[in-house]
Amino acid sequence: MRMSSVRRTALAASAAALALLVTACGGSGDEDKADDGKGKADPTASAAPEGKALTASELEKVALAQADVKAGKVATKPAATDDIAEDQVKTGDAACLPLAQAQAGVAQGEPAATVKRSWTGDPVKPSEGTKPEDALLAALDVDKMLINLASYEGDGAAQALKGLTTAAEKCAGGYTATVVGEEMKVVKVATSAAPEGGDEGTAVTLTVAADEDVKAPNKIVVVRKGATLVSFSAVNLGAMATGEDFDVPADVVAAQVGKLG
């Protein structure tokens, strides 16, 4: 998700929230239109052992579907603004490129095949009598994630993950990036433990200099299972406006990682 795209979405959400206070109506993001909710989970699908890359069609079988989540909307075809190509992501320091790629939903390294998904959480409808300012903040409290599944030959998945963790160490003090021609400044990079369920992984928080002196968190979670690497790039629209922290939707991450076997 490009920063400008997220900020525009947040502004649109603000306008929608204000309209909600007047008309008691609400809306949802573009991603809701990308999937009709008929996707079915495939409990028998599993990732290949390390060294055997899944094909694109095999990745589709283990990619998140609407039936896998209890809330939110899964889009099998992310919006055009979220479907960013590798050559559209650049960094001032080449060592930090893996972080910028992961944030943009671009696969690491040289995958044999990739599949993308996006997930958008459900907006919170304020209860009757909620103060206008509280209702506005509630309407903005929406999580969004770009999900990229990539398969690799040999130890490619492990090496791709290693490249990302190395980048997080080298670029802890921040870096600049250009995504689809738009500049972004990351002022801090911090790592934490990855969720359970994979062979290995990592979680990264990027602190991004947003508009009006707001420093907003962006979250990246990457998990390797065999020869498959799945990355999650998460933002919260409210956090983009306030700079407050948020939690990556653990149930969505668990649902996707669980499908890898």
Side-chain angles (χ1 to χ4, degrees), residues 190-196 200-205 220-223 248 253:
T191 59
S192 57
E196 298 179 356
E200 59 177 338
T202 190
V204 182
T205 296
I220 299 170
V221 174
V222 183
V223 177
V248 175
V253 173

Side-chain angles (χ1 to χ4, degrees), residues 77-203:
K77 293 183 179 180
T81 53
D82 293 336
D83 191 8
I84 299 170
E86 180 180 359
D87 61 3
Q88 293 177 304
V89 182
K90 304 180 187 301
T91 52
D93 185 344
C96 306
L97 183 59
L99 293 169
Q101 289 176 331
Q103 185 190 22
V106 174
Q108 302 290 307
E110 299 181 0
T114 64
V115 163
K116 292 183 178 182
R117 292 286 189 269
S118 69
W119 175 87
T120 304
D122 297 323
V124 177
K125 293 184 179 180
S127 59
E128 185 177 353
T130 301
K131 294 181 180 179
E133 59 270 24
D134 293 335
L136 176 58
L137 290 175
L140 284 173
D141 187 16
V142 177
D143 295 320
K144 180 177 179 179
M145 286 200 294
L146 300 182
I147 305 170
N148 187 304
L149 289 88
S151 61
Y152 299 79
E153 298 289 352
D155 66 347
Q159 291 302 316
L161 179 58
K162 182 178 180 181
L164 182 67
T165 56
T166 298
E169 294 173 358
K170 291 184 176 180
C171 305
Y175 60 93
T176 58
T178 303
V179 181
V180 195
E182 297 178 358
E183 187 172 297
M184 175 189 67
K185 183 177 182 181
V186 175
V187 298
K188 182 181 178 181
V189 177
T191 59
S192 57
E196 298 179 356
D199 296 326
E200 59 177 338
T202 190

